[in-house]
Amino acid sequence: MTIRRWGAATLAAVVLFAPALTGCARGGTEPETSGSPAPTVPADAKDALLASTREIAKGNFKFSMKGADLDGQGFVHQPSQSAQMTMKAGSGDFSMDMEVVYISPDSWVKLTVTGAEGVPGLEKLNTGKYQHLDQSKIKSTEGLGFNFTDVDPAGSEALTRAIVDVRKTGEGAYTGTIDLTRATDAGMVNEDTVTLLGAEATKLPFEAELDTEGRLTSLAIQLPAAGNGQRQELTVGYSDYGAASPAKAPPAAEVVEASPELYKLFDK
């Protein structure tokens, strides 16, 4: 998602996280039973990280993501083709809370924006209710739209492919460097920031952790200051593999149809 009208950096950051969440692979796999044997974790550190994202593709997990002024969390539940996420962004007096619910083929967005008083149409965004989206009015899956072909909110598979070097530092613990210029399609990567970082973006330090079954549980990437920004750490976490719950539609009394202002805000 990108913002056409508002230039607030924190507002732009919060919507960057939404498009990658919008997928759940059709006809996916049911969670493994407790009797299934635990997979063998590859001995090679790079191979272990490449394999660590395979379970994410099944689309049944909880996640969290954090950036400089952003905090988001949610879950994906492929068996019901649903997902939900909440996000908070803010800098100074500005703040934005956003909740998105996807239950194919419907979706709802609830916004609370403060510190942007005087912006035309703000009252049409701060409705206090969930705004139901008309899919026919959504022009792109990179805006408010979504499809069910990609379940990973952060794009961790692309990130692991962009690893330059890595070594194992402990049980399930890894550290190394990553080249973000090779992962600009990952959901948690801001391509503009990568451009500002220049050559530094090709050798950023990271740390990763895997659970006892070799599944990715956390990935943290250190970014130096770029442009007018500050140093920051991009982090993503995964948990409850195979144990997420279906999303629930908002109560009818708390739903209104989305305003034109909402579509314009998130239109690519």
Side-chain angles (χ1 to χ4, degrees):
M1 294 181 177
T2 55
I3 291 181
R4 175 173 293 176
R5 294 175 178 270
W6 293 1
T10 52
L11 189 56
V14 74
V15 294
L16 282 173
F17 279 39
L21 171 65
T22 60
C24 296
R26 291 191 182 277
T29 306
E30 292 295 325
E32 294 182 8
T33 64
S34 57
S36 300
T40 301
V41 181
D44 179 80
K46 179 65 178 291
D47 289 343
L49 289 182
L50 289 173
S52 71
T53 64
R54 291 174 184 166
E55 193 74 14
I56 297 173
K58 295 182 180 180
N60 194 329
F61 56 85
K62 292 181 180 179
F63 70 90
S64 63
M65 291 191 291
K66 291 186 179 181
D69 297 303
L70 178 70
D71 189 348
Q73 52 275 320
F75 60 86
V76 176
H77 188 256
Q78 188 276 338
S80 63
Q81 301 229 321
S82 68
Q84 186 168 340
M85 66 191 304
T86 59
M87 293 165 286
K88 296 177 68 70
S91 179
D93 295 331
F94 173 83
S95 67
M96 176 180 179
D97 289 3
M98 178 177 178
E99 181 178 354
V100 187
V101 180
Y102 302 113
I103 303 176
S104 180
D106 291 300
S107 55
W108 300 261
V109 176
K110 185 177 182 180
L111 292 176
T112 303
V113 181
T114 60
E117 289 73 12
V119 174
L122 182 62
E123 71 282 356
K124 298 294 183 63
L125 301 175
N126 285 343
T127 64
K129 294 181 179 292
Y130 293 87
Q131 299 194 51
H132 177 256
L133 299 171
D134 180 346
Q135 304 302 311
S136 68
K137 296 181 180 180
I138 298 173
K139 300 178 180 179
S140 169
T141 57
E142 296 181 6
L144 280 173
F146 64 97
N147 59 55
F148 287 91
T149 60
D150 184 2
V151 299
D152 188 358
S156 293
E157 181 182 1
L159 291 170
T160 56
R161 291 199 307 266
I163 289 173
V164 177
D165 60 75
V166 59
R167 62 187 178 90
K168 187 174 182 179
T169 58
E171 191 62 36
Y174 301 81
T175 187
T177 57
I178 187 171
D179 180 358
L180 285 191
T181 66
R182 294 159 50 186
T184 54
D185 57 339
M188 70 183 296
V189 176
N190 184 329
E191 190 169 358
D192 291 337
T193 299
V194 172
T195 300
L196 287 173
L197 287 172
E200 287 187 278
T202 66
K203 50 183 179 181
L204 298 171
F206 79 89
E207 294 182 354
E209 293 185 3
L210 313 185
D211 65 14
T212 56
E213 296 186 32
R215 302 173 298 193
L216 184 66
T217 58
S218 68
L219 176 65
I221 304 172
Q222 304 296 327
L223 272 64
N228 295 324
Q230 301 177 348
R231 294 178 60 89
Q232 62 175 303
E233 180 180 68
L234 298 180
T235 64
V236 59
Y238 300 94
S239 64
D240 287 19
Y241 283 105
S245 300
K248 296 181 179 179
E254 298 179 22
V255 174
V256 296
E257 286 302 311
S259 65
E261 286 78 6
L262 184 68
Y263 294 108
K264 290 178 181 178
L265 177 65
F266 292 104
D267 184 19
K268 183 180 178 183

